Amino acid sequence: MRQQRADYTLEDLLTLPDDAPRVELVDGVFQVTPSPTLGHQTISSLLWLWLRSHAPAGLRVAQAVGVGLSPNTSRQPDVLLHHAGLPSDRSLLRPADVVLAVEIVSPGTRRVDRFAKPGEYAAAGIPFHWRIEQDPVHLYAYRLGDRIGPGGERQYELVDDSSEVIELSEPFAIKLPIAEIRP
């Protein structure tokens, strides 16, 4: 896919053909996302299964669904928790639909997963963000705090991190043994 301009919008993203490569829209530029590794996908699938089994009735879990963060930026969290009742044919969610965005860090996406995406999710108002490092598996759980960043946006604050067990009261009561998402 050849980039012709740098002013694409969410509307352009929605008109891509079904057989287009997996892309994210970042500041008006289409970026093809690299293929995930087997370890990455195993963590993603196990977390999806765990969240599906434990999330309350008003929440649903999905993998690699786009979230429109601004008129010219869309990201695809590896796993996300969203409000129930959304139409099943939606391929692009609004930030208000999303409760938790999860990124699993891979060698080729470290900088984006650790810095760019959390900042974008926070600026869009997504209440919770988890970052999972792979080797060894370690989960960092964040919630949107009151701290204001240099651009005037709210930032995430770390609420728990562990390679053993994550215990949280939000977005629902969670006691996640990390061994259950470890490949």
Side-chain angles (χ1 to χ4, degrees), residues 119-142:
E120 292 165 357
Y121 296 153
I126 295 174
F128 301 95
H129 168 64
W130 291 359
R131 185 183 87 237
I132 301 175
E133 299 287 338
Q134 289 192 58
D135 194 19
V137 176
H138 194 107
L139 193 152
Y140 296 84
Y142 302 88

Side-chain angles (χ1 to χ4, degrees), residues 67-94:
V67 180
L69 301 173
S70 73
N72 67 352
T73 298
S74 170
R75 293 290 193 175
Q76 290 184 5
D78 294 313
V79 178
L80 62 83
L81 200 58
H82 64 84
H83 296 288
L86 300 176
S88 62
D89 64 345
R90 296 223 355 232
S91 61
L92 189 65
L93 303 182
R94 300 167 302 152

Side-chain angles (χ1 to χ4, degrees), residues 4-183:
Q4 298 294 319
R5 58 183 211 225
D7 61 350
Y8 290 103
T9 66
L10 295 178
E11 289 78 29
D12 297 314
L13 180 67
L14 292 172
T15 63
L16 290 176
D18 291 340
D19 63 348
R22 183 175 163 196
V23 297
E24 292 181 323
L25 180 63
V26 181
D27 294 328
V29 176
F30 286 123
Q31 295 181 351
V32 176
T33 59
S35 295
T37 64
L38 186 59
H40 177 285
Q41 289 305 87
T42 301
I43 294 168
S44 179
S45 296
L46 291 171
L47 180 60
W48 177 90
L49 184 62
W50 193 93
L51 286 169
R52 185 174 187 272
S53 298
H54 293 84
L59 299 175
R60 299 288 183 269
V61 64
Q63 291 177 289
V65 174
V67 180
L69 301 173
S70 73
N72 67 352
T73 298
S74 170
R75 293 290 193 175
Q76 290 184 5
D78 294 313
V79 178
L80 62 83
L81 200 58
H82 64 84
H83 296 288
L86 300 176
S88 62
D89 64 345
R90 296 223 355 232
S91 61
L92 189 65
L93 303 182
R94 300 167 302 152
D97 299 329
V98 180
V99 175
L100 166 68
V102 181
E103 292 297 337
I104 301 163
V105 178
S106 295
T109 61
R110 281 185 183 122
R111 180 170 281 129
V112 171
D113 290 343
R114 289 177 182 160
F115 302 106
K117 287 183 178 183
E120 292 165 357
Y121 296 153
I126 295 174
F128 301 95
H129 168 64
W130 291 359
R131 185 183 87 237
I132 301 175
E133 299 287 338
Q134 289 192 58
D135 194 19
V137 176
H138 194 107
L139 193 152
Y140 296 84
Y142 302 88
R143 77 173 168 87
L144 201 54
D146 295 326
R147 196 173 81 195
I148 304 299
E153 71 285 347
R154 290 171 60 194
Q155 295 183 324
Y156 286 117
E157 57 186 33
L158 183 67
V159 291
D160 196 12
D161 77 282
S162 180
S163 58
E164 298 301 322
V165 177
I166 289 290
E167 292 191 59
L168 304 166
S169 60
E170 301 176 287
F172 61 94
I174 293 172
K175 185 172 183 178
L176 168 59
I178 301 302
E180 292 191 25
I181 64 169
R182 191 176 293 129

